[in-house]
Structures are given as C-alpha cells and as structure tokens.
Amino acid sequence: MSDTNLKKEFSTRDVQRMRNIITGNAGNATGIQVGYTKQSQDYQEGDIWEENGKQWTIKNGIKQTVTKHDKLRQLTVMPLSCPECNKPMKDNIYNKKMWLIHSKCNDCVIEMEAKIKREGKWDEYEKKMMNNNKNAMVDDFEKAFEEFINTKGSSYVTEAGDIEKWSGGKVNEEEIKQVKEYIKKLRETDI
C-alpha cells in the first residue's frame, strides 16, 4: 500500500504562493520584505547637483564632475564653428591663434581688422593690442620677481635626479624698491 501522507510540510509562504497562482494573482507578494532602497533622482542635460561632496552635471548624455578648471578649459578649447559667422573652424594654427586672442575665426578677424583700417582706427587698435601684450609681460615679470623675493633658498631636482640646494645672493630693500618702481613705470608707460 502506498503512503499518501506528505513527508514535507508546506510553509505559509508556499501556501500563499499557491493561492495567488490559483486565483490569478501570480504577481502578488507572498511575504513582507524589509530592506533599503536608494532614492535616485533623474537629472536632465545641463543640470548641476552635488553628491558626496562633488558637483556633477550631465554633458552630451554623460555624467561628469564639475571642476574649477571647466571655465578655463571652455575658454581655450576651440569650437567646431565660429560663434560670429557660424562657418566651420578648421583646426589650423591661424584659427587657434585668433581664437585665443579674439574668440573668433581667422577670417572674421581679417574682416574686423580690414574694417578698422577702412575707418582709420588702425593705429589706435594696434597700440591697444601692443599695450595689452606689454601688460601681460609685465604681469609675468612681476609674478616671477615676487616668487624670487619670497624664495630664500630652494632645492631643485636636476635631470640626473640629484637634489641641488640653491641660495641666492642677498637682495636688499633698496634693490627691491627700485625693481617695483620700474614695474610701476612699465605699467604706466604706453607704447
């Protein structure tokens, strides 16, 4: 004679699962589950948010960090088309140079300078460009001088990997004053 008794007992979860299948509610839960679900927020192109102490944004569909150098990078990276004439900017030395100086393509700069010459304002434009260049060089010189003054004795690593300690000669206050006056005079002098 065969044994009709079940050797395994069904749990309440198994019984509830069978009831759900029979009643046509196969997707219903058979128990309570406890856990943590992370709340996620969907961000769109150009949104900026902070997460884990970093700023993030979405550019071209890619999540990227926002750094303090992004604005600087945006100034130096040449676009695909000129913002003034909307023509494609070829990747050549002329467009690169004019983009860094004027933020437009070489053709637009040529047109702008031709217009300035026709209006008779070329000398004024040329002086302005030369003075801007001079002021940038004076700024670089002043920064280098300040660094020289503030560095009493420095150590440098040579190409061979040796560490050399340099100590400059003494710079007295009178010499520092003379150089600072010279820098001031250079700033005030126009070309």
Side-chain angles (χ1 to χ4, degrees):
M1 183 165 185
S2 70
D3 191 6
T4 58
N5 294 337
L6 292 173
K7 297 192 184 211
K8 178 181 174 190
E9 189 175 316
F10 289 105
S11 67
T12 55
R13 185 175 181 168
D14 294 334
V15 172
Q16 185 61 40
R17 178 74 180 138
M18 289 298 193
R19 283 185 187 141
N20 288 345
I21 291 172
I22 293 170
T23 59
N25 300 322
N28 287 357
T30 57
I32 298 173
Q33 183 175 359
V34 178
Y36 171 77
T37 56
K38 181 179 178 183
Q39 290 182 345
S40 64
Q41 187 173 356
D42 291 332
Y43 295 101
Q44 301 299 319
E45 184 80 20
D47 288 348
I48 298 175
W49 70 96
E50 191 164 326
E51 186 177 295
N52 299 331
K54 280 187 171 182
Q55 278 193 334
W56 295 88
T57 187
I58 296 181
K59 290 182 184 174
N60 300 324
I62 300 170
K63 181 179 171 184
Q64 299 177 353
T65 59
V66 176
T67 64
K68 59 185 176 183
H69 302 295
D70 283 345
K71 290 180 183 175
L72 178 65
R73 188 177 301 121
Q74 189 175 13
L75 290 173
T76 59
V77 173
M78 191 173 72
L80 295 175
S81 62
C82 176
E84 190 159 314
C85 66
N86 293 326
K87 292 179 183 175
M89 288 180 67
K90 295 178 182 173
D91 190 19
N92 58 36
I93 59 171
Y94 307 113
N95 282 333
K96 286 181 182 177
K97 186 172 184 176
M98 292 304 128
W99 173 253
L100 293 174
I101 297 171
H102 298 285
S103 299
K104 47 179 114 174
C105 71
N106 187 46
D107 294 339
C108 289
V109 172
I110 291 171
E111 288 177 21
M112 176 191 73
E113 289 179 349
K115 181 181 174 189
I116 290 172
K117 282 183 181 179
R118 283 192 305 267
E119 293 173 353
K121 299 178 182 178
W122 179 256
D123 291 337
E124 179 184 330
Y125 170 76
E126 188 178 31
K127 284 181 184 178
K128 179 183 172 193
M129 293 297 289
M130 298 282 281
N131 282 318
N132 287 344
N133 191 26
K134 178 215 33 134
N135 290 337
M137 291 175 72
V138 171
D139 289 342
D140 291 343
F141 175 70
E142 186 176 25
K143 286 178 188 173
F145 182 68
E146 290 295 328
E147 187 176 325
F148 172 74
I149 291 172
N150 296 330
T151 306
K152 296 297 180 192
S154 298
S155 60
Y156 298 95
V157 179
T158 66
E159 292 177 0
D162 300 329
I163 297 175
E164 294 181 356
K165 293 198 178 207
W166 291 9
S167 59
K170 264 191 160 180
V171 180
N172 62 29
E173 294 298 320
E174 183 63 30
E175 291 171 337
I176 293 173
K177 184 179 176 185
Q178 286 176 354
V179 172
K180 287 188 177 183
E181 285 177 11
Y182 181 68
I183 291 172
K184 183 179 178 186
K185 185 178 175 184
L186 283 174
R187 284 197 193 286
E188 293 171 353
T189 304
D190 281 341
I191 295 175

